[in-house]
Amino acid sequence: MKRLFSILAIASIMAFGTVNASTNAYTVEAATTAVTTSFQEEQPADAEKSFTQIVKERFIEGGPFFMGIVLLCLILGLAIAIERIIYLNLATTNTRKLTTDVEDALNSGGIEAAKEVCRNTKGPVASIFYQGLDRADEDIDAAEKAVIAYGGVQMGQLEKNVSWISLFIALAPMLGFMGTVLGMIDAFDKIEAAGDMNPSLVAGGIKIALLTTVFGLIVAIILQIFYNYIIAKIDSIVNDMEDASITLMDLLVRYKVKNPTVVVVDRK
């Protein structure tokens, strides 16, 4: 639930910023129309516009319906991606240091001391270590099963909501293509109604149709970059989890050999 609220909060902030920027753009554009018109003759014909101004104008020209949906895909996709990146960075653990600390704690204070080290360390690797150590007083097989089972749980937590990003990556260009098709249909309807192939009659509709495709592809490219980073980060953490699980089993085996009189606890 906390993650859902964080995603909604990020999306709301981004949406509010976008709407506020669009509102300010419309206000400034309306307020400066008269001044710009009066000085058009004095302005050079090849005056260059900034990249943000060009993107803003093209976005407005694309129409509010499909462009708004594409923008919503971008906002929601980025909100989920940012939430996942923050979560994965917080979940990253120095596995080598944790393994060393657990080994030292096992040699000096036993299972309980090692569990205390895991309790004081954040991340899925420490949680897996704790589950394995919690079953170490039974036997190695029970500890291994606990590590494998809880590793699957932690992997599910790492991959949570990532499928939504892939959905928005596929949805944004499809919406753009749909806007293009509808724009082309509208252009041909105008040709049919006019009964004449007048380029100026359909040029505007075709331009709007192509703009929706362009922005849909831009959104997909942006989200794809974040998606690939997140997948690479998840793979890195999962590899650390697997290596750490093998190391933990080795530590427990050595601990059992050194302490053969460890009492097996009946958990029933």
Side-chain angles (χ1 to χ4, degrees):
M1 185 62 69
K2 291 182 179 179
R3 289 176 190 162
L4 178 60
F5 284 141
S6 64
I7 292 174
L8 292 176
I10 295 173
S12 300
I13 292 172
M14 296 178 67
F16 177 77
T18 304
V19 172
N20 189 28
S22 300
T23 304
N24 291 337
Y26 281 117
T27 304
V28 172
E29 183 179 357
T32 59
T33 299
V35 178
T36 304
T37 304
S38 62
F39 286 97
Q40 276 181 349
E41 295 181 355
E42 299 178 6
Q43 293 289 337
D46 57 348
E48 295 183 356
K49 297 181 180 179
S50 65
F51 177 75
T52 55
Q53 288 178 335
I54 295 174
V55 172
K56 180 173 60 179
E57 290 178 0
R58 296 301 185 186
F59 182 85
I60 295 173
E61 291 175 357
F65 183 71
F66 279 99
M67 298 297 275
I69 298 176
V70 171
L71 178 61
L72 183 62
C73 290
L74 176 62
I75 292 173
L76 293 178
L78 285 179
I80 297 174
I82 292 171
E83 187 272 336
R84 283 291 88 191
I85 290 173
I86 294 174
Y87 177 84
L88 293 174
N89 286 327
L90 293 177
T92 303
T93 307
N94 189 342
T95 307
R96 184 174 300 178
K97 182 178 183 301
L98 176 62
T99 303
T100 303
D101 294 341
V102 169
E103 185 177 7
D104 294 340
L106 275 174
N107 295 330
S108 60
I111 297 294
E112 291 301 324
K115 288 167 65 175
E116 185 64 25
V117 171
C118 296
R119 275 194 292 263
N120 295 330
T121 306
K122 296 181 179 180
V125 177
S127 299
I128 291 173
F129 270 30
Y130 183 86
Q131 294 298 320
L133 293 169
D134 195 40
R135 296 293 186 275
D137 52 4
E138 298 178 10
D139 53 46
I140 298 299
D141 290 336
E144 185 177 2
K145 290 179 181 179
V147 167
I148 294 174
Y150 202 71
V153 174
Q154 290 297 319
M155 188 179 300
Q157 292 293 326
L158 295 175
E159 296 176 348
K160 189 175 182 181
N161 295 327
V162 175
S163 60
W164 286 102
I165 302 177
S166 61
L167 172 64
F168 293 131
I169 291 173
L171 193 60
M174 286 193 293
L175 288 171
F177 292 146
M178 183 180 293
T180 298
V181 172
L182 294 178
M184 296 296 290
I185 292 174
D186 182 66
F188 283 110
D189 285 340
K190 290 181 179 178
I191 294 174
E192 183 181 9
D196 184 19
M197 185 60 184
N198 188 355
S200 63
L201 189 65
V202 297
I206 294 175
K207 181 178 72 172
I208 293 173
L210 295 177
L211 284 173
T212 58
T213 300
V214 170
F215 276 90
L217 293 174
I218 291 174
V219 169
I221 291 171
I222 294 173
L223 294 181
Q224 186 68 53
I225 295 172
F226 282 94
Y227 178 80
N228 286 357
Y229 173 81
I230 291 171
I231 293 299
K233 192 72 173 177
I234 291 174
D235 290 340
S236 176
I237 295 175
V238 170
N239 289 333
D240 288 342
M241 289 165 53
E242 293 175 351
D243 292 340
S245 300
I246 296 172
T247 304
L248 176 63
M249 293 300 104
D250 294 338
L251 292 177
L252 290 178
V253 169
R254 290 199 295 266
Y255 177 77
K256 291 286 187 179
V257 172
K258 292 180 181 179
N259 302 273
T261 58
V262 175
V263 179
V264 177
V265 178
D266 186 4
R267 295 179 178 272
K268 294 183 180 179

